[in-house]
């Protein structure tokens, strides 16, 4: 089995440098290639890539901007491998990652897998807090943090494996973003392919993001979900509504204070206190504990409001997704 590592990048040469440096220290003894796809960047990574050509087998391609999904497809079409490993440019790869994936595929071959993301102690406090909010069982059910209690695991494209066979059969990623990874997973299921979580094949996801951009990102996640639900109603789940219900419930609990009913609000404070304690212990920092509460609120608020807006436009008004939310679709 020959691995081709596919990395789309947009204006992030420093990220690419960290990622390639981590791959250069891989303990994997077999050959593999790295395919960098520059997605119409104004600040290209070519010089960074050139500096690693003596350490890694790298191919570098520049193309017009068409989004990460199409850039991954572009890279997979040109790659030489029979199995593709897909990373975001802001990931740092543990030295045993390739060995772990190879071991798992030999034990039980699967055409599509996903792995968790973790945070290094060298990450900023905000990065570690956001990582907690995105991966904790208390917030997302642990689907990004390695939970195995999932019937149909949907790999995320920051850390994803895809066989050449599955890529060719499915046509790869679509033009929605975000949401291109669950869209691909569902299409793979409908074609008879299976997906699986490899809990030990994790990456360090160094999200370079501030609070405003984090809110905008999760808001787009929320908008994308009703679109996917409209495309694939058989895979709709009640859990997708939870962030919206959480936000609505919070504001209802505030309203109930008018009638001296404070129990619902107390339950919210208990939940946030548990988050604070858990994150503080896990990260060994009270500051990160506080920031994790803030990140979780922004995550639920952004996703919940985005989901409600999209649900109204897509499910109730029956608007076309490309018309309702053109910002979620790249022109291919």
């Amino acid at each position: 089995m020959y691995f081709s590592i596919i990395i789309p990048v947009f204006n992030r040469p420093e990220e690419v440098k960290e990622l390639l440096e981590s791959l250069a220290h891989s303990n994997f003894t077999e050959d593999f290639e790295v395919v960098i796809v520059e997605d119409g960047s104004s600040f290209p990574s070519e010089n960074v890539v050139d500096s690693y050509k003596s350490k890694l087998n790298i191919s570098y391609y520049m193309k017009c901007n068409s989004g990460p999904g199409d850039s991954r497809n572009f890279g997979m079409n040109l790659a030489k491998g029979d199995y593709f490993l897909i990373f975001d440019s802001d990931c740092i790869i543990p030295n045993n990652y390739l060995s772990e994936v190879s071991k798992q595929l030999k034990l039980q071959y699967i055409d599509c897998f996903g792995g968790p993301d973790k945070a290094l102690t060298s990450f900023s406090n905000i990065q570690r807090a956001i990582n907690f909010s995105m991966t904790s069982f208390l917030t997302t059910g642990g689907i990004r943090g390695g939970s195995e209690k999932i019937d149909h695991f949907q790999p995320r494209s920051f850390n994803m494996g895809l066989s050449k066979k599955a890529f060719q059969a499915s046509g790869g990623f679509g033009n929605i973003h975000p949401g291109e990874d669950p869209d691909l997973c569902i299409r793979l299921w409908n074609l008879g392919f299976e997906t699986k979580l490899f809990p030990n094949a994790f990456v360090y996801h160094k999200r370079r993001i501030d609070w405003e951009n984090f809110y905008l990102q999760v808001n787009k996640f929320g908008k994308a979900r009703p679109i996917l639900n409209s495309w694939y109603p058989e895979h709709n789940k009640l859990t997708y509504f939870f962030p919206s219900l959480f936000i609505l419930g919070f504001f209802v609990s505030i309203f109930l204070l008018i009638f001296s009913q404070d129990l619902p609000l107390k339950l919210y404070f208990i939940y946030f206190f548990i988050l604070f304690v858990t994150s503080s212990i896990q990260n060994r920092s009270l500051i990160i504990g506080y920031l994790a509460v803030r990140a979780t609120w922004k995550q639920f608020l952004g996703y919940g409001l985005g989901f409600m807006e999209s649900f109204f436009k897509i499910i109730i008004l029956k608007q076309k997704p490309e018309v309702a939310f053109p910002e979620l679709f790249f022109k291919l």
Side-chain angles (χ1 to χ4, degrees):
M1 188 180 305
Y2 186 68
F3 290 137
S4 292
I5 296 174
I6 312 297
I7 306 166
V9 58
F10 181 71
N11 289 337
R12 300 292 180 89
E14 289 304 314
E15 286 185 353
V16 172
K17 182 178 181 180
E18 287 186 303
L19 195 160
L20 293 179
E21 181 66 21
S22 66
L23 286 173
H25 288 86
S26 172
N27 64 12
F28 192 56
T29 57
E30 300 177 33
D31 291 335
F32 64 93
E33 70 167 342
V34 181
V35 179
I36 305 290
V37 181
E38 196 82 68
D39 187 25
S41 299
S42 302
F43 306 100
S45 306
E46 187 171 10
N47 290 337
V48 172
V49 173
D50 286 343
S51 68
Y52 280 89
K53 284 189 173 179
S54 62
K55 301 178 182 179
L56 295 165
N57 177 16
I58 305 180
S59 300
Y60 177 83
Y61 300 97
M62 173 74 81
K63 54 179 279 298
C64 295
N65 180 254
S66 58
D70 187 56
S71 295
R72 298 180 192 112
N73 294 342
F74 184 93
M76 288 186 281
N77 276 317
L78 293 171
K80 301 179 179 66
D82 52 9
Y83 209 99
F84 308 125
L85 303 178
I86 303 166
F87 301 131
D88 279 355
S89 62
D90 57 355
C91 290
I92 297 173
I93 315 303
N95 67 345
N96 67 333
Y97 179 93
L98 296 176
S99 301
E100 176 64 28
V101 169
S102 179
K103 180 181 72 174
Q104 291 297 325
L105 290 175
K106 288 176 181 177
L107 288 173
Q108 182 184 1
Y109 184 84
I110 197 86
D111 284 287
C112 181
F113 77 87
D117 64 305
K118 298 186 178 183
L120 288 166
T121 55
S122 59
F123 289 6
S124 72
N125 289 342
I126 291 178
Q127 287 171 330
R128 293 168 68 184
I130 289 176
N131 179 269
F132 176 87
S133 73
M134 296 289 283
T135 62
S136 174
F137 179 81
L138 295 170
T139 55
T140 62
I143 60 172
R144 288 171 175 255
S147 172
E148 295 183 89
K149 298 178 181 179
I150 302 171
D151 52 356
H152 272 74
F153 180 69
Q154 296 183 4
R156 299 299 193 266
S157 50
F158 66 85
N159 179 11
M160 183 180 193
L162 184 68
S163 71
K164 184 175 183 179
K165 177 183 176 182
F167 168 64
Q168 292 177 336
S170 64
F173 295 94
N175 67 327
I176 187 172
H177 177 72
E180 71 274 20
D181 26 22
D183 169 58
L184 173 57
C185 289
I186 295 172
R187 287 189 284 110
L188 288 172
W189 297 338
N190 292 341
L191 289 168
F193 293 99
E194 296 183 1
T195 59
K196 185 177 176 61
L197 170 69
F198 286 1
N200 294 323
F202 63 88
V203 300
Y204 299 111
H205 200 177
K206 192 175 184 179
R207 298 175 179 87
R208 286 186 171 88
I209 198 166
D210 55 31
W211 290 122
E212 181 180 357
N213 286 324
F214 178 58
Y215 177 88
L216 292 174
Q217 181 186 64
V218 293
N219 184 255
K220 286 184 176 181
F221 289 160
K223 290 176 179 176
R225 180 52 68 178
I227 296 174
L228 296 172
N229 291 346
S230 71
W231 290 348
Y232 312 107
E234 69 276 16
H235 293 288
N236 197 355
K237 293 182 180 180
L238 183 62
T239 52
Y240 297 149
F241 292 80
F242 282 1
S244 297
L245 295 175
F246 182 93
I247 295 301
L248 290 173
F250 180 82
F251 289 115
V252 169
S253 68
I254 296 292
F255 175 76
L256 289 176
L257 291 177
I258 299 174
F259 305 98
S260 300
Q261 299 294 321
D262 62 352
L263 178 59
L265 190 60
K266 286 180 178 178
L267 294 176
Y268 275 92
F269 277 109
I270 291 172
Y271 170 73
F272 285 122
F273 180 74
I274 292 172
L275 280 180
F276 169 75
V277 172
T278 304
S279 179
S280 296
I281 293 174
Q282 181 176 312
N283 292 287
R284 299 181 181 180
S285 169
L286 294 176
I287 294 175
I288 297 176
Y290 158 72
L291 292 174
V293 172
R294 185 176 176 182
T296 299
W297 172 253
K298 284 188 174 291
Q299 179 183 343
F300 283 176
L301 182 65
Y303 186 102
L305 294 180
F307 184 96
M308 286 187 281
E309 180 186 357
S310 183
F311 185 88
F312 180 73
K313 291 182 176 181
I314 304 300
I315 306 301
I316 304 299
L317 299 182
K318 306 295 183 182
Q319 294 182 5
K320 291 184 178 180
E322 294 86 351
V323 175
F325 301 106
E327 71 274 16
L328 300 184
F329 293 88
F330 280 90
K331 294 182 179 180
L332 303 183

